Amino acid sequence: MITGSGVIDFTESVKTDYIQINGTEVVLEMNNQEVESGTPAHYSLIAKGSKVTINNANINSGGGGIGAVDGAEVTFNGGTLAVNSTSTSGRYLFYAEGEGTVITINGGEFSFSKTLNQKRAYICAMAGTTVYVKGGTFGEASTRSGYTAGILTYEDGKVIITGGTFGFNPSTWVADGY
């Protein structure tokens, strides 16, 4: 668990069940170091009420990708995020929950295992949250019923797309003028 503020500079690969950041402001300089985290029961990285900037990621998750909850602000600035989960529950690369939670995706390459859990989407925005997609490459959507859109929103949760490349049709979430 990370509770202090500042810059965390990854200088070597990391393997852990998950990374949790609580109520602090942190910049994760991942330097393309491989981070293996997440279990079928856990997301790779969970930001709770925190402001987190992720630079040059190389995350391979065995659960969900990045969870932002309780008013967290997460900015993803490039690298890779892959979810390779055996969980049979819904799994997402980016999951936003809790009033005022914001995720901003500025770039990166995002993928799921083609043979493991097909109950998945790239983004899930729950009530009161906003996810901005300004760039990045997103693969194909799942073929499983209920997940074929590639993105899920609930109640007034919002996804606003102004950039990126998609292996599915994201037009429902593309901002006016884009």
Side-chain angles (χ1 to χ4, degrees), residues 7-175:
V7 176
I8 298 174
D9 200 10
F10 286 61
T11 58
E12 58 187 41
S13 296
V14 174
K15 187 171 186 172
T16 183
D17 284 348
Y18 62 94
I19 299 167
Q20 184 170 321
I21 303 169
N22 287 351
T24 188
E25 187 170 335
V26 174
V27 176
L28 301 177
E29 293 290 352
M30 293 191 156
N31 300 311
N32 294 311
Q33 295 292 330
E34 183 174 18
V35 175
E36 282 188 58
S37 62
T39 68
H42 291 288
Y43 273 69
S44 178
L45 186 146
I46 303 158
K48 295 180 86 176
S50 304
K51 185 174 182 181
V52 180
T53 302
I54 302 165
N55 296 321
N56 302 309
N58 180 6
I59 300 170
N60 181 10
S61 179
I66 296 171
V69 300
D70 299 338
E73 295 177 34
V74 173
T75 302
F76 190 93
N77 290 322
T80 61
L81 175 57
V83 168
N84 299 298
S85 179
T86 58
S87 171
T88 57
S89 298
R91 289 291 175 251
Y92 313 99
L93 270 91
F94 295 95
Y95 177 81
E97 181 179 304
E99 190 69 36
T101 297
V102 175
I103 297 174
T104 302
I105 303 165
N106 288 317
E109 292 191 31
F110 309 108
S111 64
F112 284 98
S113 168
K114 294 187 184 327
T115 59
L116 297 174
N117 183 358
Q118 296 301 302
K119 191 175 180 182
R120 57 175 174 74
Y122 290 92
I123 299 167
C124 180
M126 301 301 281
T129 68
T130 304
V131 178
Y132 296 99
V133 180
K134 298 179 178 184
T137 302
F138 298 80
E140 295 179 4
S142 176
T143 57
R144 185 168 175 153
S145 178
Y147 293 83
T148 59
I151 295 172
L152 298 174
T153 58
Y154 293 93
E155 297 177 27
D156 64 345
K158 293 181 228 156
V159 174
I160 301 168
I161 298 173
T162 58
T165 303
F166 300 84
F168 57 93
N169 182 353
S171 61
T172 299
W173 302 280
V174 173

